[in-house]
Amino acid sequence: MRLGNRCFWVVALWAGTLAVQADVPAGAVPASPPVGDVLTADPVEGQSLGAWTAQWWRWVLAQPMEPYLDPDGRFCDLGQDGPVWFLAGTDGSFKPKRRCVVPEGKYLLLPVINMIYMQSRELSSASCKELQSDVAVNNDHLASAVVLLDGKPLGDIAMHRVRSDGCFRLDPDDASSTLAAADGYWLMLRPLPRGRHTISVGANYAAPGSAHGVMQQSFEYELDVGGEALLSYVVNARNSRGLSNRRW
């Protein structure tokens, strides 16, 4: 994508109209903790939320299959490691409902609506300041954003704008790798109680004339947090869809 005299590769994920919450078998949903106990802006394992968003983008771009293209949750555990479990948005072309097993004790990093700007391979002269300025444009014009956890709204999402800590290299071990800046609206959820939980996300920008300035989409996660019975349920569901078993 070309902006002025600079050429950038732009990747954007966003969310729009809320998906309809699925019916869940009686007794499968545990009591949700109060909203105030769900979210955290504190560092996790010594890393700020901004640093975790950079890790999220490294995770997305490093996988053999982009997690935001996952149609139903079959790739939920792709590349997952460490104390934070990454959830994904979409590329805006579909409205997925994903079912995933998440180990107990994991924080959840949820991208509500966000963007990344990177130096192109052809032109790498853009400064960090320029990348930050460009990636902020659409996020300066958030039109709406709603996140539901087990049917309950998680407050004013506009209060949860997160910028990467300055700019970051896509390969943290290579000082010459592509430089990038990220900006958007993110939630870090504390580990959820064992059982079935549903997260529904909807958001859109409203920056006419800007690249991707009117993005919108929706997606939903049905998360089974820990447990042999829940794991068996998901494996059986995968088998019924003709999907092969993989190590969990």
Side-chain angles (χ1 to χ4, degrees), residues 123-134:
L123 185 63
S124 59
S125 61
S127 68
C128 178
K129 185 176 180 179
E130 290 170 324
L131 293 173
Q132 289 176 307
S133 176
D134 286 328

Side-chain angles (χ1 to χ4, degrees), residues 174-185:
D174 182 358
S176 64
S177 69
T178 302
L179 188 68
D183 194 342
Y185 296 84

